Amino acid sequence: MEVKTPTFNVETLDESKIYHHHDYPQIIIGLTGQSELATDDSSFCLSSGMGCLIDANVEHSFCGTPNNQVLVMNLPPFVSTPDVDMFGRGHFSLDARTHQLISLLATELKESANDGVLSQSISNTLQCLIKRSLMYFDEKRVERLNMALIDSYINQHIQQKISVAELSSVAFLAQSQFYALFKSQMGITPHQYVLRKRLDLAKQLIAERQKPLSQVAQLCGFSSQSSFSQAFRRLYGTSPTRYQFFIR
C-alpha cells in the first residue's frame, strides 16, 4: 500500500499472531479490549487509551483479545515519528478526555466511510489530537504510575503468572524504571503488590463460601493449595481454614 498522506483505519485484530512489515510508519491506539504487538525480541500489551509507534520496515506481529478494536494511523514514509525507541519510549498514554474524543471520532469515521468530506474532517481532527498527545508525551517525564491501568491488567490475569516485564509493558516503561517507580510510589515491590491482590481476592471468595479452598487457590493464581496457605498465613497471620471458620 502506498501512503501519500496520513490515513486512518478502525480495525479488529485477529486472535492469532500475524507477522508482517510495511515501508511506512504507523501509530496504533487501543480503543477497546487488549492487543499485543511484538518484534522478534520484545513485546507489549496495548490496552484501551494506550498508543504506540511502529517505525517503517520493522518486522512485527499483532493479535488481540475478542472484541478488541484499534485505530491505525498510516503515515507517509517521509514523515518522521518522534525519535524514540519503539519498545522503550515509543509508547504513550492518552488522557481520559483525549481518549474519549478519539474513540468517538473513530466510531464516526467507521460509520461515515462513504462521506468523503466528513471523513476528511474527522481525519484532520484525529491528526491534531494525536499530534498533541505525542508532543505532550515527548515532553513529559513519568512521575507517577497509572495504577488503574495496572490494576485492570492484574485483575484480568489474576489466575495466571504475572511478571514485572508484563506490568512494565502496561506502564510503557523499561523494567528497571518501572520497578523503581513502583516501589517508590507504592512502598512495596510489584511482586508483593500482585500477591496482595491475589490474597485480597482469596479473602473475598472465602467470605462468599461458595467454593472450596482448593478452587480458591486456583482462581487466585496459586500453583498449589499449599503455597496459597503459606502466603495467606504470612500476610494475615492465620490459615485460610481458620479464617473461613471465624467468619461464619
Side-chain angles (χ1 to χ4, degrees):
M1 178 178 68
E2 184 179 4
V3 179
K4 295 183 178 180
T5 60
T7 61
F8 290 90
N9 296 308
V10 179
E11 300 180 7
T12 298
L13 302 180
D14 292 337
E15 294 183 44
S16 56
K17 289 186 178 182
I18 299 177
Y19 277 89
H20 70 292
H21 70 275
H22 29 72
D23 59 0
Y24 51 87
Q26 284 184 328
I27 294 174
I28 301 179
I29 294 175
L31 299 176
T32 59
Q34 284 193 329
S35 308
E36 179 183 336
L37 289 94
T39 62
D40 291 337
D41 55 0
S42 301
S43 65
F44 62 92
C45 297
L46 191 68
S47 299
S48 175
M50 299 177 178
C52 70
L53 310 174
I54 300 180
D55 288 331
N57 300 310
V58 171
E59 186 78 14
H60 60 279
S61 70
F62 58 81
C63 61
T65 58
N67 302 317
N68 79 86
Q69 202 168 57
V70 297
L71 177 67
V72 179
M73 181 181 183
N74 300 310
L75 298 168
F78 55 81
V79 173
S80 61
T81 54
D83 186 19
V84 292
D85 174 67
M86 178 178 168
F87 290 98
R89 294 187 59 213
H91 309 83
F92 58 95
S93 183
L94 302 174
D95 61 80
R97 182 170 178 270
T98 301
H99 178 222
Q100 184 180 29
L101 285 171
I102 288 178
S103 295
L104 291 171
L105 288 168
T107 299
E108 190 64 33
L109 181 69
K110 189 174 182 179
E111 295 177 354
S112 306
N114 296 325
D115 189 330
V117 175
L118 180 56
S119 295
Q120 187 59 54
S121 297
I122 294 173
S123 295
N124 292 338
T125 305
L126 285 169
Q127 287 183 53
C128 292
L129 288 170
I130 293 173
K131 182 179 180 180
R132 184 183 68 181
S133 296
L134 287 173
M135 291 174 64
Y136 174 72
F137 167 75
D138 196 43
E139 295 172 356
K140 183 183 178 184
R141 291 291 182 264
V142 178
E143 297 178 353
R144 291 188 64 82
L145 296 170
N146 186 335
M147 292 306 299
L149 289 175
I150 294 172
D151 285 344
S152 176
Y153 184 86
I154 293 172
N155 292 336
Q156 291 181 39
H157 299 83
I158 198 72
Q159 296 185 43
Q160 307 164 17
K161 181 179 179 181
I162 300 174
S163 66
V164 175
E166 291 173 292
L167 296 179
S168 62
S169 71
V170 172
F172 298 148
L173 295 172
Q175 288 188 49
S176 57
Q177 184 184 8
F178 171 81
Y179 187 94
L181 186 57
F182 190 101
K183 192 170 183 181
S184 173
Q185 181 173 326
M186 303 305 297
I188 56 177
T189 68
H191 172 75
Q192 291 169 327
Y193 185 81
V194 171
L195 181 59
R196 290 189 182 184
K197 284 286 187 182
R198 296 188 193 281
L199 293 173
D200 284 345
L201 175 60
K203 286 181 70 176
Q204 177 185 330
L205 294 175
I206 292 172
E208 292 173 357
R209 306 188 61 80
Q210 295 180 357
K211 296 176 175 64
L213 293 179
S214 59
Q215 188 176 2
V216 170
Q218 181 182 9
L219 291 173
C220 295
F222 290 93
S223 58
S224 66
Q225 188 173 343
S226 174
S227 62
F228 163 57
S229 297
Q230 291 175 10
F232 195 97
R233 184 187 295 274
R234 281 196 300 268
L235 184 61
Y236 299 122
T238 187
S239 69
T241 304
R242 287 182 60 84
Y243 177 79
Q244 186 178 51
F245 176 80
F246 282 116
I247 62 171
R248 290 183 178 180

